[in-house]
Amino acid sequence: MKKEFNTTTSVQFLKSVGPARARNLARLGIETVGDLLQHYPRRYFDRSHSLPVAQVRPGQEVTVQGEILTVGERATGRGRTVQTISIGDDTGVLFCVWFNQRFLLKQFRSGRRIMISGLAQQFRGRLQVAHPDFEVFEPVNAPVADGGADGAADPAAASLHTGRMVPVYGLTGGIGQHWLRALVHQALEKLPSSRQDALPADLRRRRGLLTWDEAVRAVHFPANQQALAGALKRLKYQEGFLVQTLMARRRNGYGRRQGLMLSKPGDLTRDLVRSLPFALTGAQRRVLAEILADLRSGRVMHRLVQGDVGCGKTLVAFIACLFVIEQGYQALLMAPTEVLARQHGQSLARLAEPLQVNVATLTGSTPAAERRAVLAALADREIDLLVGTNAVIQDGVYVPDLGLSVVDEQHRFGVRQRGLSGRGGQDERQSHVLVMSATPIPRSLALTLYGDLDLSVIDALPGGRQPIRTDIVPERDEARVWEHCRAEVAAGRQVYVVHPVIEETAGQDLKAATAEFERLRGEIFADRNVALLHGRLKAREKAAVMEAFNRGEVSVLVATTVVEVGLDVPRATVMVIHNPERFGLAQLHQLRGRIGRGEHASRCFLVCDGHLAGESRERIRFFASHLDGFALAEQDLRVRGPGEAWGVRQSGLPGFRLLNPVTDADLIRLCREDSRAFLERDPDLDSPAGRRLGVLLEQVFGSVAGTMAG
């Protein structure tokens, strides 16, 4: 019996997809027909309206077709390069430039036809487009073997590439626009159009939505802008409706659970707060009151606490743990990395010792004998607080009196572990869960992706800290950065130097951490202790380097983004970031947050190539002029969209591809209203429409969907 062709069918059942191309598609996350159809275009060429070169004016967004006339490259110093092509038609010549994109040259050949799209500018008397989108047309009848980058999967699909709105997809090596475009068309042609829609028909009618079949065809091959708008509305709505349904079912499940009901705080909490050399901020006290109200409510707490870098979330988490410990329960505190877990374990153990609270640390690299001792003590109730990585929720870790699980840096773990962290010896439904996000998340995004949780925000920083000054420095002026660093080191303070890569790679114009480490310790800081930290080091090696930096034995730490999260070294006053355009705003904000934690003024230097593309340049300028993590998060979401901005990928939800919680806030509100109304009528998804919706939830969210209702 022939198997039905549907969205779960492997892409290898499509013509022209052999093993090599299947591997290439897998790098794009495409393994099934459904994956292929959800690989949405990132933009469109309007090939019904390309301009002759003579009609192009500076400041216009233009699409131009022509012939490649020349291909060239020139060096600009310090290892930087500029790639240039000229293209012409019957009316004139237009230049296209790229900076440090040497790998593009092999795609260009004189005499080939090309289409480019981008912002036209006047530069030194000539018309040019910097970093345009482009597509090189394949020669007619070019032979294509499996693994080749382009060529049509179906000769009849040639009309897909011209005379219409043409989709432009994200690609990878071995995959070309023509071939992928034709493959999507082939999949749509083979997909039955009679399948039942997962969204209820009355909901579609009320909201004026296309069917899924209509929408997915129109989003890939729209007849016009109006058709595209209708397709995007439907597909965005579906994403929002599914996420809201998922979160609402989870929240409903929590509401059915009875939680541990605690009494008022006792001496432990008071003694800790009195022993601190500083007062808690009003925001910390407010959030602690919200947590305590949950713990005393008789229902299970599932609360998200977020705040800007350095706002004191870890201390709030520790006090929450003391709430349950002083009433005879145990607590878990998870961190995203071993380095951070060890740091938390050491700092919390120092706070806990005078209170006679037992703290232990458990990570993936804990030696077997030590691990057995920790697990035995935990099972015997001799450990009050267990700090660690996700090793603390693995099989074999038994917490007989678990009262509270604190999931620090939640975005590193995702929904699955968030669900698992409530396990305990008595009744896993009774333990409380506190989720801590160090990365500020815009409220609209938090309500969308963490709608199953109550939300608390620590919106004030501890007093006594000076604002961090951020400077953008061209590479040619790097000497003044090192002059400032040497002055800080001479005054007994410390410096971070961060690079996007560990080692230099051929064809990549990036400074690497290892090479810079050798240069700094051999030349600029030859009289100081310079250390290297990166992800390839063993856990114990990383811990040793960080402990030396914490103790002040290391003056300059050269690192990759392994220092991104949570490290707290008050003597560190300088952060030097090379190639900042290679980092997202979230990473940049976290990196800058490693300094400014003491009494001394701090500076962050962004050492940039002088040839940044317009979008990257504006993003770096925005970062340099804003210290507020929530403002940066909002901008990141607005500019980069839901697939890349922070808090989206980290949430663990795979169903967010088109919807943007900032720009689509009104649509999300409708989704939330409709989801609640639907679940009021069918809370267990027992109706025919509910069962279809349940199948879609399972397809999009996998096993997570099955645990949502609690």
Side-chain angles (χ1 to χ4, degrees), residues 8 35 55 68 116 141 210 260 292 312 319 353 387 411 497 525 528 561 609 622:
T8 65
D35 297 333
Q55 294 183 22
I68 299 176
I116 67 97
N141 299 324
L210 300 176
L260 300 171
L292 185 58
I319 294 173
E353 187 177 8
V387 179
H411 57 276
V497 181
F525 298 101
R528 300 290 178 176
T561 52
D609 178 2
F622 187 90

mmCIF file of all heavy atoms in Angstrom, residues 8 35 55 68 116 141 210 260 292 312 319 353 387 411 497 525 528 561 609 622:
data_model
loop_
_atom_site.group_PDB
_atom_site.id
_atom_site.type_symbol
_atom_site.label_atom_id
_atom_site.label_comp_id
_atom_site.label_asym_id
_atom_site.label_seq_id
_atom_site.Cartn_x
_atom_site.Cartn_y
_atom_site.Cartn_z
ATOM 1 N N THR A 8 4.654 14.967 7.168
ATOM 2 C CA THR A 8 5.630 14.160 7.917
ATOM 3 C C THR A 8 6.513 13.321 6.991
ATOM 4 O O THR A 8 7.449 12.665 7.458
ATOM 5 C CB THR A 8 4.919 13.227 8.917
ATOM 6 O OG1 THR A 8 4.135 12.271 8.191
ATOM 7 C CG2 THR A 8 4.025 14.019 9.857
ATOM 8 N N ASP A 35 8.939 20.498 7.453
ATOM 9 C CA ASP A 35 10.083 21.384 7.704
ATOM 10 C C ASP A 35 10.361 22.261 6.486
ATOM 11 O O ASP A 35 10.648 23.456 6.618
ATOM 12 C CB ASP A 35 11.340 20.566 8.010
ATOM 13 C CG ASP A 35 11.240 19.732 9.271
ATOM 14 O OD1 ASP A 35 10.474 20.124 10.169
ATOM 15 O OD2 ASP A 35 11.920 18.692 9.346
ATOM 16 N N GLN A 55 17.553 54.313 -14.241
ATOM 17 C CA GLN A 55 16.481 54.880 -13.417
ATOM 18 C C GLN A 55 16.742 54.763 -11.911
ATOM 19 O O GLN A 55 15.930 55.204 -11.108
ATOM 20 C CB GLN A 55 15.157 54.205 -13.770
ATOM 21 C CG GLN A 55 14.673 54.491 -15.177
ATOM 22 C CD GLN A 55 13.324 53.856 -15.472
ATOM 23 O OE1 GLN A 55 12.554 53.537 -14.558
ATOM 24 N NE2 GLN A 55 13.019 53.670 -16.762
ATOM 25 N N ILE A 68 27.016 40.449 -15.208
ATOM 26 C CA ILE A 68 28.231 40.730 -14.441
ATOM 27 C C ILE A 68 29.323 41.123 -15.426
ATOM 28 O O ILE A 68 29.675 40.362 -16.334
ATOM 29 C CB ILE A 68 28.671 39.507 -13.626
ATOM 30 C CG1 ILE A 68 27.575 39.113 -12.614
ATOM 31 C CG2 ILE A 68 29.983 39.805 -12.899
ATOM 32 C CD1 ILE A 68 27.898 37.859 -11.827
ATOM 33 N N ILE A 116 20.118 41.752 -8.322
ATOM 34 C CA ILE A 116 20.496 42.250 -6.994
ATOM 35 C C ILE A 116 19.366 43.101 -6.435
ATOM 36 O O ILE A 116 18.560 43.679 -7.188
ATOM 37 C CB ILE A 116 21.818 43.041 -7.030
ATOM 38 C CG1 ILE A 116 21.653 44.354 -7.823
ATOM 39 C CG2 ILE A 116 22.950 42.196 -7.582
ATOM 40 C CD1 ILE A 116 21.383 45.569 -6.984
ATOM 41 N N ASN A 141 20.402 24.908 -19.454
ATOM 42 C CA ASN A 141 20.838 23.525 -19.687
ATOM 43 C C ASN A 141 22.103 23.160 -18.908
ATOM 44 O O ASN A 141 22.828 22.243 -19.297
ATOM 45 C CB ASN A 141 21.073 23.249 -21.177
ATOM 46 C CG ASN A 141 19.818 23.435 -21.994
ATOM 47 O OD1 ASN A 141 18.718 23.120 -21.527
ATOM 48 N ND2 ASN A 141 19.955 23.968 -23.210
ATOM 49 N N LEU A 210 -7.326 32.604 5.969
ATOM 50 C CA LEU A 210 -7.219 31.583 4.933
ATOM 51 C C LEU A 210 -7.103 30.208 5.571
ATOM 52 O O LEU A 210 -6.792 30.076 6.760
ATOM 53 C CB LEU A 210 -5.971 31.830 4.077
ATOM 54 C CG LEU A 210 -5.851 33.155 3.331
ATOM 55 C CD1 LEU A 210 -4.498 33.233 2.632
ATOM 56 C CD2 LEU A 210 -6.979 33.317 2.335
ATOM 57 N N LEU A 260 2.954 22.780 48.341
ATOM 58 C CA LEU A 260 3.357 22.821 49.740
ATOM 59 C C LEU A 260 2.973 24.180 50.320
ATOM 60 O O LEU A 260 3.312 25.217 49.765
ATOM 61 C CB LEU A 260 4.872 22.633 49.854
ATOM 62 C CG LEU A 260 5.448 21.317 49.311
ATOM 63 C CD1 LEU A 260 6.964 21.393 49.307
ATOM 64 C CD2 LEU A 260 4.968 20.151 50.143
ATOM 65 N N LEU A 292 6.862 34.717 48.325
ATOM 66 C CA LEU A 292 6.366 34.205 49.602
ATOM 67 C C LEU A 292 4.853 34.017 49.559
ATOM 68 O O LEU A 292 4.320 33.034 50.109
ATOM 69 C CB LEU A 292 6.757 35.159 50.730
ATOM 70 C CG LEU A 292 6.418 34.692 52.149
ATOM 71 C CD1 LEU A 292 7.090 33.350 52.449
ATOM 72 C CD2 LEU A 292 6.827 35.736 53.181
ATOM 73 N N GLY A 312 20.578 41.504 41.117
ATOM 74 C CA GLY A 312 20.516 40.760 42.380
ATOM 75 C C GLY A 312 19.528 39.609 42.380
ATOM 76 O O GLY A 312 18.956 39.277 43.416
ATOM 77 N N ILE A 319 17.333 33.520 48.971
ATOM 78 C CA ILE A 319 16.389 33.796 50.057
ATOM 79 C C ILE A 319 15.123 32.959 49.881
ATOM 80 O O ILE A 319 14.563 32.439 50.861
ATOM 81 C CB ILE A 319 16.059 35.305 50.116
ATOM 82 C CG1 ILE A 319 17.316 36.098 50.504
ATOM 83 C CG2 ILE A 319 14.934 35.576 51.107
ATOM 84 C CD1 ILE A 319 17.146 37.608 50.432
ATOM 85 N N GLU A 353 26.987 29.246 55.404
ATOM 86 C CA GLU A 353 27.744 28.627 56.520
ATOM 87 C C GLU A 353 27.376 29.191 57.886
ATOM 88 O O GLU A 353 27.100 28.420 58.820
ATOM 89 C CB GLU A 353 29.244 28.779 56.261
ATOM 90 C CG GLU A 353 30.091 28.030 57.280
ATOM 91 C CD GLU A 353 31.575 28.125 56.981
ATOM 92 O OE1 GLU A 353 31.965 28.893 56.068
ATOM 93 O OE2 GLU A 353 32.351 27.437 57.662
ATOM 94 N N VAL A 387 23.240 22.813 44.376
ATOM 95 C CA VAL A 387 23.491 23.728 43.261
ATOM 96 C C VAL A 387 24.157 22.933 42.150
ATOM 97 O O VAL A 387 25.037 22.105 42.406
ATOM 98 C CB VAL A 387 24.415 24.889 43.699
ATOM 99 C CG1 VAL A 387 24.675 25.826 42.520
ATOM 100 C CG2 VAL A 387 23.793 25.640 44.859
ATOM 101 N N HIS A 411 16.492 30.338 30.144
ATOM 102 C CA HIS A 411 16.461 30.257 28.679
ATOM 103 C C HIS A 411 17.455 29.256 28.133
ATOM 104 O O HIS A 411 17.380 28.885 26.971
ATOM 105 C CB HIS A 411 16.711 31.631 28.064
ATOM 106 C CG HIS A 411 17.998 32.270 28.481
ATOM 107 N ND1 HIS A 411 18.120 32.982 29.641
ATOM 108 C CD2 HIS A 411 19.203 32.303 27.890
ATOM 109 C CE1 HIS A 411 19.351 33.437 29.744
ATOM 110 N NE2 HIS A 411 20.033 33.038 28.691
ATOM 111 N N VAL A 497 38.994 40.453 27.779
ATOM 112 C CA VAL A 497 39.150 40.661 26.340
ATOM 113 C C VAL A 497 38.433 39.514 25.641
ATOM 114 O O VAL A 497 38.810 38.349 25.798
ATOM 115 C CB VAL A 497 40.634 40.689 25.916
ATOM 116 C CG1 VAL A 497 40.744 40.927 24.409
ATOM 117 C CG2 VAL A 497 41.399 41.765 26.681
ATOM 118 N N PHE A 525 51.001 43.054 27.667
ATOM 119 C CA PHE A 525 50.945 42.775 29.104
ATOM 120 C C PHE A 525 52.016 41.755 29.495
ATOM 121 O O PHE A 525 51.763 40.836 30.264
ATOM 122 C CB PHE A 525 49.557 42.264 29.495
ATOM 123 C CG PHE A 525 48.444 43.247 29.244
ATOM 124 C CD1 PHE A 525 47.632 43.130 28.127
ATOM 125 C CD2 PHE A 525 48.234 44.298 30.118
ATOM 126 C CE1 PHE A 525 46.611 44.036 27.889
ATOM 127 C CE2 PHE A 525 47.209 45.217 29.887
ATOM 128 C CZ PHE A 525 46.395 45.092 28.768
ATOM 129 N N ARG A 528 52.468 41.146 33.171
ATOM 130 C CA ARG A 528 51.270 40.800 33.946
ATOM 131 C C ARG A 528 50.860 39.356 33.666
ATOM 132 O O ARG A 528 51.283 38.750 32.669
ATOM 133 C CB ARG A 528 50.113 41.727 33.574
ATOM 134 C CG ARG A 528 50.388 43.189 33.840
ATOM 135 C CD ARG A 528 50.434 43.512 35.322
ATOM 136 N NE ARG A 528 50.756 44.911 35.565
ATOM 137 C CZ ARG A 528 50.786 45.481 36.763
ATOM 138 N NH1 ARG A 528 50.516 44.741 37.831
ATOM 139 N NH2 ARG A 528 51.086 46.751 36.905
ATOM 140 N N THR A 561 32.777 33.693 24.464
ATOM 141 C CA THR A 561 31.565 34.044 25.210
ATOM 142 C C THR A 561 31.291 33.108 26.383
ATOM 143 O O THR A 561 30.223 33.172 26.974
ATOM 144 C CB THR A 561 30.338 34.047 24.284
ATOM 145 O OG1 THR A 561 30.288 32.807 23.586
ATOM 146 C CG2 THR A 561 30.421 35.175 23.292
ATOM 147 N N ASP A 609 35.835 46.662 12.933
ATOM 148 C CA ASP A 609 36.337 46.886 11.588
ATOM 149 C C ASP A 609 35.707 48.179 11.075
ATOM 150 O O ASP A 609 34.542 48.479 11.353
ATOM 151 C CB ASP A 609 35.911 45.690 10.717
ATOM 152 C CG ASP A 609 36.336 45.826 9.268
ATOM 153 O OD1 ASP A 609 37.005 46.829 8.948
ATOM 154 O OD2 ASP A 609 35.996 44.952 8.472
ATOM 155 N N PHE A 622 23.375 51.591 18.599
ATOM 156 C CA PHE A 622 22.251 51.521 19.535
ATOM 157 C C PHE A 622 22.707 50.895 20.853
ATOM 158 O O PHE A 622 22.383 51.390 21.938
ATOM 159 C CB PHE A 622 21.104 50.701 18.933
ATOM 160 C CG PHE A 622 19.847 50.719 19.747
ATOM 161 C CD1 PHE A 622 18.875 51.678 19.531
ATOM 162 C CD2 PHE A 622 19.630 49.778 20.752
ATOM 163 C CE1 PHE A 622 17.712 51.715 20.295
ATOM 164 C CE2 PHE A 622 18.474 49.797 21.518
ATOM 165 C CZ PHE A 622 17.511 50.774 21.283
#
